[in-house]
Amino acid sequence: MNKGIVPKQCSEVLWEIPTDFRSDMRVPARIFATAEMMQDIKSDRSIEQLVNVTTLPGIRKMAVAMPDIHEGYGFPIGAVAVTKWPDGAISPGGIGYDINCGVRMLKSDVALDDAKPYLDMLASELSRAVPSGTGRGGRIALDTASMDKVLSEGMDWAVLEGYCEHGDQENIESRGKLENARPDAVSQHARKRGVDQLGTMGSGNHFVEVDYVDRIFDADIARSFGLYEGQIVVLIHCGSRGLGHQVATDYIRIMLANLPKHAIILPDRELACAPFSSSEGREYFDGMAAAANFAWVNRQIIAWEIRNEWVKIFGKDARLTTLYDVAHNIAKIEEHEIDGGKQQVIVHRKGATRAFGPGHPEIVEHYRATGQPVMIPGSMGTASYVMAGGSKSMAESFGSCCHGAGRTMSRHAAKKEIGGRELLANLRYQGIIVKAGKVSDLSEEAPFAYKDVHNVVDVVERAGLANKVASLKPLVVVKG
């Protein structure tokens, strides 16, 4: 519980905890939320965790939380923080265990009415084609040389191996490849965990979802994104699987052991970190980049599997093209304005999506005028959103916005509220077909366990971090 912390309201959707709240704070903490949301946010340790983040060595300007904030490991989920490059801290807790968990959106040329007769078949075939569940392997088993190439080359490997179509790579954040990735920074244990996991989604909140475009909010941007009402689209949400989890585990252990060497004192050991310029800091950054590359390839292989099933159902001319692919658990070196000048910083995004606004040079050219596409999944019974990076995101949130609805209830608590089969029947009554590897665990992801995604997205838009383009409604959900 966030006892004794009373954030100061700066606007209808922005709150601040100033540095005089606690003597070890180096920068203020800021939270984007409404007054009503703040009451829910105060129910767990997330604000306390955000305050703890402000104590990291080398942190600059502020620590930021999105309206989907909730308690996590070290950093709260839904947080962004930047540290000075090259000597500021890098913290695995600021990226998370599921390195480069992210979302890809595929657009189809199939309309809702044309898809309805095939939804049950689509649900069955997609659940068969995309393996799900803890530790579940896929069709591809990587030998040592292939694993090295996936880790170092990311999407370049997928292109050479024939898993891509035109437009895939250019519509992925960083083109699906972080150049600093080093395979030798990934342990043998991590490699072993990932050897057969390309093309698999895992468990928990990961999914493959078939949606339709329910509403257009900005006709011009929607047109430039190739979206229209009634259009069938596909969302893929997953990350680096066991490989990424092991990379995080390995380096958290190393950094904890080396805290005394760097004279780092933390209010919470879960914030384990190291100077970016230290050997363990650089090795973690390079290993994290390799895991991020693995995750982009994972989502690419899933897209490839979905496309294979798509043409079987809708015909050989049916197409699924990539709108965009965003990471929401990652660290990057970026340039941001701090203290009146441009500085290179180490950006930690944990449960936060890059949302660069119009004109940013890192956005692929055909989206530069509108701002970067951002996908915000809700819950399997509500809605999701497509947004475009906003004009205020660079100044207000280091070019970031929320990544989803955000949990309000633990998985254990959700399971006590409803059984998996009852939830399955409820969703079917609403017209949503769900396939789950383990029905008994389905209730962990019940819609009532999440915040209202409409409210979360409204806050982000009102703050100028991103603009609503379209809302999506679910038809088919495949879960782990």
Side-chain angles (χ1 to χ4, degrees):
M1 301 289 285
N2 298 294
K3 293 180 179 178
I5 304 178
V6 182
K8 173 187 174 184
Q9 189 164 9
C10 304
S11 74
E12 287 186 339
V13 294
L14 180 62
W15 306 72
E16 181 175 282
I17 303 158
T19 53
D20 61 8
F21 169 71
R22 216 170 75 187
S23 61
D24 57 350
M25 291 178 68
R26 302 173 191 263
V27 294
R30 294 180 182 165
I31 305 165
F32 291 98
T34 62
E36 184 179 4
M37 285 179 174
M38 284 300 295
Q39 297 308 309
D40 288 334
I41 292 169
K42 290 176 182 177
S43 67
D44 64 18
R45 291 183 57 245
S46 55
I47 300 179
E48 178 187 343
Q49 288 185 322
L50 188 68
V51 170
N52 290 341
V53 170
T54 70
T55 71
L56 285 174
I59 191 167
R60 306 307 307 269
K61 194 172 181 178
M62 58 191 171
V64 181
M66 297 298 157
D68 55 336
I69 180 178
H70 53 289
E71 188 174 338
Y73 180 90
F75 278 54
I77 298 165
V80 184
V82 308
T83 54
K84 184 180 179 181
W85 182 87
D87 296 321
I90 185 166
S91 174
I95 292 91
Y97 280 95
D98 194 359
I99 295 168
N100 190 8
C101 184
V103 180
R104 181 175 302 197
M105 181 170 165
L106 305 175
K107 304 175 293 180
S108 84
D109 49 9
V110 177
L112 175 59
D113 287 344
D114 295 329
K116 283 180 178 178
Y118 302 98
L119 293 178
D120 279 297
M121 182 190 305
L122 194 56
S124 296
E125 293 307 306
L126 291 183
S127 65
R128 180 192 56 79
V130 183
S132 63
T134 304
R136 182 87 182 274
R139 302 181 189 183
I140 298 173
L142 298 171
D143 58 25
T144 301
S146 296
M147 175 64 84
D148 281 350
K149 289 179 179 178
V150 169
L151 296 174
S152 62
E153 299 174 11
M155 280 292 297
D156 287 351
W157 176 87
V159 170
L160 288 173
E161 293 296 318
Y163 292 112
C164 296
E165 292 187 2
H166 176 73
D168 281 344
Q169 188 169 24
E170 66 178 334
N171 289 313
I172 297 174
E173 182 178 328
S174 299
R175 293 181 59 84
K177 178 184 179 181
L178 297 184
E179 296 289 347
N180 63 291
R182 276 181 36 230
D184 63 349
V186 177
S187 69
Q188 289 301 317
H189 188 189
R191 290 160 170 267
K192 185 176 180 180
R193 291 185 66 180
V195 70
D196 65 346
Q197 291 193 331
L198 286 182
T200 68
M201 75 172 85
S203 58
N205 64 350
H206 296 160
F207 60 78
V208 169
E209 190 171 285
V210 179
D211 299 335
Y212 70 95
V213 178
D214 178 52
R215 184 179 175 189
I216 298 293
F217 296 93
D218 188 310
D220 290 337
I221 297 181
R223 193 176 302 112
S224 70
F225 284 6
L227 300 176
Y228 54 89
E229 287 188 5
Q231 179 184 20
I232 299 296
V233 299
V234 179
L235 293 180
I236 301 167
H237 176 224
C238 62
S240 49
R241 304 288 280 110
L243 182 143
H245 193 284
Q246 192 62 47
V247 168
T249 300
D250 292 341
Y251 284 98
I252 287 170
R253 187 180 299 119
I254 291 169
M255 290 184 184
L256 279 171
N258 283 282
L259 287 174
K261 179 178 76 173
H262 300 297
I264 294 174
I265 299 174
L266 299 169
D268 182 354
R269 286 173 61 82
E270 290 183 359
L271 288 175
C273 61
F276 182 87
S277 55
S278 67
S279 59
E280 59 267 37
R282 286 298 316 213
E283 285 176 11
Y284 167 70
F285 186 60
D286 295 347
M288 180 224 70
N293 288 349
F294 185 92
W296 274 312
V297 175
N298 186 30
R299 292 197 286 276
Q300 183 63 42
I301 301 301
I302 291 175
W304 178 74
E305 295 281 14
I306 293 170
R307 283 168 170 159
N308 288 338
E309 302 308 315
W310 203 262
V311 296
K312 292 177 186 176
I313 294 170
F314 295 110
K316 61 182 178 64
D317 295 326
R319 281 281 164 276
L320 285 172
T321 57
T322 300
L323 172 70
Y324 208 62
D325 181 303
V326 293
H328 55 228
N329 284 352
I330 204 162
K332 287 184 168 183
I333 308 301
E334 294 175 1
E335 187 176 79
H336 289 273
E337 188 167 316
I338 296 172
D339 296 334
K342 297 285 187 181
Q343 296 185 18
Q344 291 231 298
V345 289
I346 308 151
V347 183
H348 298 70
R349 291 190 180 97
K350 180 181 182 180
T353 306
R354 196 184 77 173
F356 287 168
H360 196 287
E362 284 194 38
I363 303 174
V364 64
E365 187 175 353
H366 53 268
Y367 292 140
R368 201 167 293 163
T370 61
Q372 172 196 313
V374 178
M375 285 75 70
I376 310 296
S379 72
M380 59 184 168
T382 55
S384 297
Y385 279 84
V386 180
M387 305 187 80
S391 59
K392 295 184 179 180
S393 69
M394 296 303 287
E396 300 292 331
S397 61
F398 304 110
S400 311
C401 76
C402 64
H403 84 305
R407 294 193 75 94
T408 58
M409 186 181 290
S410 72
R411 288 180 166 84
H412 177 72
K415 287 186 79 168
K416 290 174 67 176
E417 291 291 321
I418 192 171
R421 295 198 178 279
E422 182 183 355
L423 177 59
L424 200 68
N426 289 350
L427 292 168
R428 185 69 190 229
Y429 181 76
Q430 297 173 45
I432 303 167
I433 304 167
V434 179
K435 295 287 185 179
K438 195 173 181 182
V439 174
S440 59
D441 289 342
L442 187 65
S443 52
E444 294 180 357
E445 297 300 313
F448 57 72
Y450 285 84
K451 299 178 185 181
D452 186 324
V453 69
H454 306 294
N455 293 339
V456 170
V457 166
D458 282 346
V459 168
V460 165
E461 184 168 59
R462 288 163 67 186
L465 309 184
N467 303 307
K468 288 188 286 188
V469 177
S471 61
L472 316 174
K473 288 284 186 70
L475 295 166
V476 170
V477 182
V478 180
K479 300 284 290 185

